[in-house]
Amino acid sequence: MSQAADQIPGIGHIRSPLLRSVYNKMREDEKQKNNPHDNWYTVDLSKVPEEICAKFLQFNQDEETSQFLNQCYEKSDWLFTQLGHSFCKSVLGWFMSSTSINGLLKRGSMFVFSKDQLRQMLHVAPDRKGNRLLDLGAGDGMVTDIMAEFYNVVDSTEMSPTMVWRLKEKGFNVIPVDTWDNGAVTYDLIGCLNLLDRCDKPMKILQSIYRLLTPTGRAIVAVVLPFEPYVEFNSSDHKPIESLLIKGKTFEEQAASFITDVFQPLGFFVEHFTRLPYLCEGDLNQSFFVLNDAVFVLKLKDEG
């Protein structure tokens, strides 16, 4: 038993799973609050081809990221709310997807990048306003909100009915998933954040993004690495119809493979890539969850 545990009378004899879980989470939160999490942003550039190294942008945990984490700590401490969420999830999980349950309960919001990090990736001034943004698989719209600040018109897509409801609550236009790529509208920015590993046809989505970008437009694509596809909607085996043939096992190897084996053959020019934490609000046992995101800024090759 640790020194911290010894200082709390009787903590070593707690038999209640709930109380022990709360105590362990408190200890873990204290460690995390004093951690700058440099490992969330680190890439070993010695393992990346030289021509790709020049595209890397180094970030760190900024104020907006810290604010999201503080929000996670606070919400995780709402004991009765978390118990209610846990109960509802166990019941609703029989007939609803995890994404839809989170949308219904207003939990599980995501964080990928801050406004300042987005400005640096896109080289835009704080007061700059582009014309039109499309966010694919926008979820509850929390990340969409960050991108929306820089665009006059915001469109979105989403498979989960409850998340569609949340997006409309925020005032975002939601385009049906079977019509968003009909070519009627082009976009200055298309967000495809943590969607390629959750959809059945990732190549088709990337091809459609290429067609719908304006000549000077950008796409921002985030992918969790290691790449492990899992199709949540309309799939009996959760396997995609189309496969992305990503090489390598490490973050660096797979990020480089996305550039050379996926984006470039489709006609994209990769302007930047970086590593960011893909953060999600936690539960009673853990204040937040984190995955490794490779984030790429793409533009049309002819414009590069």
Side-chain angles (χ1 to χ4, degrees):
M1 187 62 63
S2 69
Q3 182 178 357
D6 292 338
Q7 293 172 354
I8 301 177
I11 196 67
H13 304 288
I14 290 179
R15 295 183 180 180
S16 166
L18 174 60
L19 293 179
R20 184 168 291 278
S21 176
V22 170
Y23 170 69
N24 288 334
K25 186 184 73 67
M26 289 173 58
R27 291 203 310 180
E28 181 62 25
D29 284 354
E30 286 305 309
K31 290 192 295 184
Q32 295 294 339
K33 288 176 183 178
N34 297 317
N35 189 338
H37 300 115
D38 292 337
N39 59 303
W40 288 354
Y41 304 88
T42 301
V43 170
D44 186 351
L45 294 178
S46 68
K47 298 180 180 179
V48 177
E50 185 176 349
E51 64 274 15
I52 294 178
C53 285
K55 302 176 184 294
F56 180 71
L57 288 179
Q58 178 68 60
F59 288 117
N60 52 33
Q61 182 176 313
D62 62 7
E63 182 177 353
E64 196 171 337
T65 309
S66 296
Q67 288 174 354
F68 178 81
L69 290 172
N70 289 335
Q71 177 181 299
C72 291
Y73 297 133
E74 180 180 354
K75 286 187 175 182
S76 183
D77 287 339
W78 298 346
L79 178 60
F80 294 108
T81 299
Q82 294 296 343
L83 288 173
H85 285 169
S86 180
F87 173 77
C88 290
K89 190 169 184 178
S90 65
V91 174
L92 296 174
W94 287 98
F95 54 89
M96 292 178 68
S97 70
S98 178
T99 298
S100 293
I101 294 171
N102 286 338
L104 184 64
L105 299 177
K106 288 189 174 182
R107 61 166 291 176
S109 288
M110 308 290 189
F111 185 95
V112 181
F113 44 70
S114 67
K115 291 177 184 177
D116 185 62
Q117 288 166 347
L118 179 63
R119 281 196 294 263
Q120 292 184 58
M121 286 189 282
L122 299 179
H123 301 294
V124 295
D127 58 349
R128 181 259 197 190
K129 281 282 186 179
N131 183 32
R132 203 171 194 111
L133 160 70
L134 172 64
D135 190 14
L136 300 172
D140 65 358
M142 183 166 178
V143 182
T144 316
D145 273 330
I146 292 174
M147 296 187 287
E149 182 169 316
F150 303 100
Y151 294 88
N152 294 317
V153 180
V154 181
D155 294 332
S156 62
T157 70
E158 177 55 51
M159 290 285 290
S160 165
T162 56
M163 288 303 190
V164 168
W165 174 31
R166 295 301 179 201
L167 289 167
K168 290 182 177 179
E169 276 188 330
K170 290 176 175 284
F172 296 135
N173 179 45
V174 182
I175 303 174
V177 293
D178 57 350
T179 62
W180 71 271
D181 59 349
N182 60 14
V185 180
T186 56
Y187 294 92
D188 298 296
L189 179 65
I190 299 178
C192 180
L193 306 176
N194 304 296
L195 177 62
L196 294 182
D197 59 348
R198 292 294 178 262
C199 65
D200 59 350
K201 295 181 179 179
M203 287 294 290
K204 183 176 184 293
I205 285 180
L206 289 171
Q207 290 164 349
S208 296
I209 289 173
Y210 186 90
R211 288 190 296 103
L212 296 185
L213 282 178
T214 62
T216 58
R218 299 291 185 273
I220 185 164
V221 178
V223 186
V224 172
L225 300 182
F227 189 67
E228 297 178 357
Y230 181 90
V231 180
E232 186 174 15
F233 294 98
N234 301 329
S235 174
S236 58
D237 60 3
H238 303 294
K239 295 181 181 179
I241 296 173
E242 299 176 345
S243 297
L244 299 180
L245 302 179
I246 306 304
K247 300 173 184 175
K249 295 181 180 180
T250 67
F251 182 95
E252 290 82 2
E253 290 170 341
Q254 291 198 358
S257 181
F258 257 98
I259 293 174
T260 58
D261 300 320
V262 178
F263 299 135
Q264 290 178 349
L266 287 173
F268 288 109
F269 179 87
V270 180
E271 192 170 30
H272 298 300
F273 86 100
T274 188
R275 178 178 176 175
L276 293 173
Y278 179 26
L279 296 165
C280 175
E281 291 177 347
D283 54 23
L284 187 63
N285 300 308
Q286 194 168 335
S287 291
F288 63 87
F289 301 100
V290 60
L291 295 170
N292 299 313
D293 249 353
V295 183
F296 305 89
V297 179
L298 314 178
K299 58 184 179 180
L300 304 184
K301 188 173 291 186
D302 290 342
E303 202 269 325

